Amino acid sequence: MSLDSTPKAIAGPANFVDERIGAGNFLKRNLRKVFPDHWSFLLGEIALYSFVILLLTGTFLTFFFKPSMGEVVYNGSYEPLVGVRMSEAYASSLNISFDIRGGLLIRQIHHWAALLFVAGMMVHMLRVFFTGAYRKPRELNWIIGVLLLTLALLEGLTGYSLPDDLLSGAGLRITEGVAMSIPLVGTYITFFLFGGEYPGHDVISRFYSIHILLIPGILLALISAHLILMWVQKHTQMPGKGRTEQNVVGAPFYPSFMAKSGAYFLFTFGVLALLGTFAQINPIWLFGPYTPADISAGSQPDFYMGFLEGALRLMPAWEINFLGHTLALSVLIPALVPMGIIMTGLALYPFAEQWITGDRSEHHVADRPRNNPHRTSIGLAAIAFYGILWLLGANDWISAKFHISLYTTTVVGRWAIFIGPAIAYFVTYRICIGLQRGDQEVLHHGVESGVIKRLPNGEYIEVHVPPAEDIAAHVLGKKRIPAIEAAPDGEGIPPKGARGPLGRLRARLSQTYSADTDAISLDGHHDGADGHHADGHHAVNGAAPHAGVGAGADKESTRSIGH
Amino acid sequence: MTENPNDIEQAEERVPRRVIGTPPPGDEASALGAPVSTREPIKHEGVTYPDPDKARKAERIVALLFVVSFLAAVAFVASYVVFQVGTIDRTATSNLALGSSLTVALLSLAAGIVVWVRQIMPKYNLVQERHPMVSATDVRESVNDTFLQGANESGFVKYKLLRRTLLLAAAPLGLLPLVLLKDLGPLPGTSLRHTVWSKGRRLMVEGTKQPIRAADFNSPGGILSVVPEGHEEDLNALAKATLILIKFRPEELKPGTNINWTHDGIVAYSKICTHVGCPAALYEQTTHHILCPCHQSTFDAADGAKVIFGPAARPLPQLPIAVDGEGYLIAQSDFNVPVGPSFWERGDAEAEVRGKA
Amino acid sequence: MNSITARRRHPLARYAVLILALSLLGVVYALAAPVGDRADAAIASGKADDVAAGKDLFAAHCASCHGLNGEGSYSSGGGSGPSLVGVGAAAVDFQVSSGRMPYADPGPQAPRKRLPEWVNQDSIRQLAAYVQSLGGGPTKPSLESVDPSKGDPAKGGELFRANCIQCHNFVGSGGGLTYGKYAPPLNPATPTQIYEAMITGPQAMPVFNDTTITPDEKRDMIAYIVSVRQQTDPGGSGLGRIGPVTEGLVAWIVGISLLALAAIWITAKKRQVNHD
């Protein structure tokens, strides 16, 4: 049985809307919009749906939360705190947790959703980075993404400070200490933020309006822009059969992508509900009310702030006094530099890469990470940098649980923060090259079939068969990494872009960045031809023409790897 | 830019070719109310439709999952009514009941939809063309012309006085919101240089709010967290004035500690870490280390709380203490240097103090 | 021996002699040693038998480090310990009943461990009586003075947050200290041991004597510690109750992994089997 005509219940309203806003034209274009299918393309939706759930659960919490630092004596259901003086904010958070049905569940889902919001953004961003999906024309969307991540960190900080418990107060105190260390205006910023001396009576209500109105509003606007740009520019696709820079291959929005996306929203919500049910998060009742006189061992921020915490812990005691002023480098450097390196680095990377490769063309087919080894290695080095700082943010627990001397963890961390990224870079680079060689092997020799054959001369061989067509196409999606023209012309004059110190640097970077990728040739001839060649791939490759830019890349294009 | 008809990609060779009635692109407009009479299914190649038997089987699985989701949602409502809160254990039960029913409702609905998409909906790839994002040359030229025409019509370039006074008018308007922020807080002044400690103010035990008789605080290796009398619950005062009070055997004290500011081996340091202001509160009586749990700055309490490890750059300031006529510990004065984290106007207060001495 | 030599400066890291040799030596010394005068006080209090039995136990299990008369010893070869004169019965009860003493392996800190076979209520009482006889000190608290049900947990919570959590964490999960030392978790500690730890200041822990934090206030703290550690975690698993570190791990390991699996399931290409 199938539908022959659109049911009245849908046709009626649809007609109403179309007659007023002409929705038909939009729907005609977009109902069957194509969305490429790859599991990693859904990672960004974790963040998107977490954000939706944050809005919903957060609204519920605002119905009961009182953003006030006025003092009350607690008289609620949580026995061990009855009779204790605390702020109204803390008392109402306890109230949400213990005296409102479902309040604890919603609070926990909200907090877990905050963690998954940031974690989802991070994995999504890594996917975009490693596949080169930030390249032209998507640089703007990449920058919006970096802004979103920065704002999400701020949103998290203002959010977990609200319950005014002892742990969140420790975070607030550190925030104050960092703000105060800013040269020239630090004390003023602090006094304006806290309404006078720390902790004052205003910061909770101020953070509240920032947390529930200002930042979510900006987030909402940027997320909308992010999605609209994605929609207009169409999604990137992984390399594969029939996939070119001029097309997009995938499932239609209606019905299949719509259903998948809806299911993924429910999965996200379901996993958050699962965590909210079975994993306790931020048990504020155990922390007690805030007082600047007390602190607990193991006072850590939420995970996304962990790298800043680690940076503060790593830093040696540097401080400069001059002319009656103090420059607290041991606070300023760790608070600003790692964040600056990571966020600025992210924002500038697409443009830096364009400058180095001289590549101004549009890219819609994603790179496999192995096929751009320098980019992938830079990414892994950044992950190592971030990861070491993050890990050191918990060095007291590492020390306590694994019985390593506390100072040892710090001192090791001080070295690891420089050495770790270098090692990560080198190892990743070798792995990428190794994987490329593996690809070459598959294309030139085929894959092991598991069939053992005896030759007339008695020799046993394992029969290699050509790889499946879709796999071959996927592998053959490898592109040459463009490089700028750097070789001197006939009169020994280097081209315009490669003159001067900056130009020479650019030329060198360009050579390095694009080197090695053609050394492992997928389409060239192979010396050790042994009769097991996979055939047919040249034809497939024809659909994905190389972006043949650059000079230095030609010379080695037929070099092959010995076996 | 997306008006071009979708192509349905040819399926891979190994996939059986089937023909189904996929409505052609462009016919969606019929959803907008134009009555459509019976029509021929449009035939496309390269679409795999699920085997009807398998689809029927999948339908039963999906239906089961949807029913489970329905029941779990009902269970959620029932849990809300049945399980009340009011004690820790009852909250735990309520959270478990509500949360697990919600989880089951959501996840089984999600799983049902995925089975539905994967087992019942047809599989095929559509191909759409991409076009460069850049607009056509004639469009760009036209926009450029329009812009120039408008700019000239406005006279913005021609009438200099207009242009300059407009900019003049705009500049302060942008600053007005910043001016309004001034009343967010008072100016710092010298408030960061002082605490509520003053001559004769008693030291009180944090939590019990009792004054401390020096003779009672007599176990070497003992510590107390101390708050100023009269400000035991004044958080603004505590944020600067909280102390860590340590009892030493007199011979354990080293030259870094100002002995005139101690009483019978009892030393008072600011508890506010000089790094970013966490309470530096861990004390190891064997090593005399004060450790800040936030960033592990470590101070030697026996030696004037000088920094021996970590990011803090300055020792914890020592508070001059004495005993009053009744034998209770009191402050001799305020700290002689600002307590807590560094700030721009702080300067090297320690050196200034040494210079005066 | 080199590693031991390296650590010899640590007052508590010096116990590395075979138990058998220890016992033998102890017995020999015990037979040869003169009877201590300090036992008089204990004899007067009617515990002479305990003191004598305790002295034997002490000689067998403790004297190799703490000296034959508890005066402490310092040996460059390891096996040295602080003087026990004046530490009191409470210290002995705490250290021995929690398995920290006798100290088996040299390390930054004596860990809580399984009790040796000779340790039981009687032997601890006898050992404590002997050490008490050496020079007084804090005594073992009465059961009533540590009874959590008689304390006020809310009041105790405030004191606990003011004095304890900086090392032992919000709920007594413990935490790290310098040079490999650590503040142990409070969960295995009995109310008596918690009280004793406060008044004796074992290892790196500072002392909270009864004149500044009264016995009633200590009982309030014990009431808080016990009530919180017995308390259900209403929000599900407590994740070790150590705060955001485990929460972050769970968000990544459980949350992101489950959702990545869901994404893989949703988008997985089925290799069609030909049914025709």
Side-chain angles (χ1 to χ4, degrees), chain C residues 37 57 97 115 163 172 180 197 218 223 243 246:
Chain C
D37 303 328
L57 286 167
S97 72
L115 303 181
N163 294 301
K218 290 199 172 76
T246 42

Side-chain angles (χ1 to χ4, degrees), chain A residues 396-449:
Chain A
D396 49 343
W397 285 118
I398 294 169
S399 167
K401 299 292 166 188
F402 301 104
H403 299 292
I404 302 165
S405 173
L406 190 63
Y407 298 161
T408 307
T409 60
T410 311
V411 173
V412 168
R414 283 173 186 169
W415 287 101
I417 197 63
F418 297 106
I419 299 168
I423 295 174
Y425 187 95
F426 180 77
V427 170
T428 309
Y429 190 82
R430 296 321 308 173
I431 290 174
C432 286
I433 299 296
L435 287 170
Q436 285 194 38
R437 286 181 183 155
D439 286 348
Q440 187 189 42
E441 185 76 17
V442 163
L443 286 182
H444 291 168
H445 294 272
V447 291
E448 290 158 3
S449 62

Side-chain angles (χ1 to χ4, degrees), chain A residues 105-116:
Chain A
L105 182 68
I106 298 296
R107 233 200 81 221
Q108 299 209 116
I109 291 179
H110 190 73
H111 205 123
W112 281 119
L115 297 196
L116 282 199

Side-chain angles (χ1 to χ4, degrees), chain A residues 134-253:
Chain A
Y134 55 79
R135 288 174 297 176
K136 189 180 173 186
R138 294 184 179 76
E139 306 99 317
L140 284 178
N141 229 11
W142 172 255
I143 287 176
I144 290 176
V146 176
L147 279 176
L148 282 171
L149 183 62
T150 316
L151 282 170
L153 299 187
L154 260 180
E155 177 72 348
L157 172 75
T158 51
Y160 71 63
S161 297
L162 290 180
D164 204 21
D165 56 272
L166 192 52
L167 180 64
S168 75
L172 218 45
R173 180 92 219 207
I174 296 169
T175 311
E176 186 238 12
V178 170
M180 209 143 84
S181 73
I182 300 172
L184 223 57
V185 292
T187 45
Y188 292 88
I189 288 179
T190 317
F191 271 61
F192 289 160
L193 179 62
F194 291 92
E197 286 202 73
Y198 179 85
H201 295 98
D202 300 318
V203 68
I204 296 286
S205 52
R206 288 176 185 176
F207 270 23
Y208 185 66
S209 45
I210 294 173
H211 179 75
I212 71 160
L213 182 67
L214 184 62
I215 301 181
I218 303 174
L219 282 175
L220 196 60
L222 288 178
I223 288 173
S224 308
H226 201 68
L227 291 178
I228 289 169
L229 278 181
M230 182 273 292
W231 192 278
V232 169
Q233 294 177 330
K234 302 197 181 98
H235 207 284
T236 52
Q237 55 193 347
M238 294 306 266
K241 189 181 160 233
R243 296 175 188 182
T244 71
E245 298 285 9
Q246 284 80 37
N247 71 10
V248 49
V249 179
F253 178 71

Side-chain angles (χ1 to χ4, degrees), chain A residues 10 75 96 109 251 429 515 546:
Chain A
I10 294 170
N75 195 23
I96 289 170
I109 291 179
Y429 190 82
H546 283 229

Side-chain angles (χ1 to χ4, degrees), chain A residues 313-449:
Chain A
R313 291 177 182 206
L314 273 190
M315 189 67 194
W318 294 353
E319 187 167 299
I320 298 173
N321 284 296
F322 62 97
L323 305 176
H325 292 296
T326 299
L327 199 57
L329 295 177
S330 62
V331 183
L332 277 174
I333 291 179
L336 302 179
V337 171
M339 182 97 161
I341 291 177
I342 292 169
M343 293 301 180
T344 319
L346 284 172
L348 295 184
Y349 197 86
F351 306 101
E353 190 180 58
Q354 270 176 30
W355 184 70
I356 289 171
T357 58
D359 180 12
R360 299 266 184 271
S361 56
E362 285 192 9
H363 292 277
H364 302 288
V365 177
D367 278 336
R368 296 170 80 205
R370 67 188 63 175
N371 288 340
N372 196 326
H374 283 287
R375 175 202 292 148
T376 305
S377 306
I378 289 169
L380 261 295
I383 290 176
F385 177 74
Y386 181 92
I388 288 165
L389 289 178
W390 184 16
L391 195 67
L392 264 288
N395 71 336
D396 49 343
W397 285 118
I398 294 169
S399 167
K401 299 292 166 188
F402 301 104
H403 299 292
I404 302 165
S405 173
L406 190 63
Y407 298 161
T408 307
T409 60
T410 311
V411 173
V412 168
R414 283 173 186 169
W415 287 101
I417 197 63
F418 297 106
I419 299 168
I423 295 174
Y425 187 95
F426 180 77
V427 170
T428 309
Y429 190 82
R430 296 321 308 173
I431 290 174
C432 286
I433 299 296
L435 287 170
Q436 285 194 38
R437 286 181 183 155
D439 286 348
Q440 187 189 42
E441 185 76 17
V442 163
L443 286 182
H444 291 168
H445 294 272
V447 291
E448 290 158 3
S449 62

Side-chain angles (χ1 to χ4, degrees), chain B residues 16 18 88-89 92 95 114 118-119 206-208 216-225 281-286 289, chain C residues 155 159 162 166-167 177-179 181 201 203-209 211 217 231-232 234-235 265-266 268 270 276:
Chain B
R18 281 170 178 274
I88 301 168
D89 288 327
N95 189 63
V114 175
R118 289 174 58 81
Q119 310 277 353
E206 191 201 344
T208 70
D216 288 345
F217 188 52
N218 56 3
S219 306
I223 61 158
L224 280 175
S225 183
L282 275 84
Y283 179 64
E284 300 176 10
Q285 65 140 322
T286 43
H289 288 169
Chain C
K155 186 98 195 55
L159 289 166
Q166 64 264 42
C167 303
L177 300 175
T178 60
Y179 299 114
K181 299 191 290 295
Q203 312 208 28
M205 177 166 164
V207 182
F208 300 89
N209 67 11
T211 43
E217 287 162 353
Q231 176 184 307
T232 323
W265 184 37
I266 289 176
K270 260 204 323 186
D276 295 333

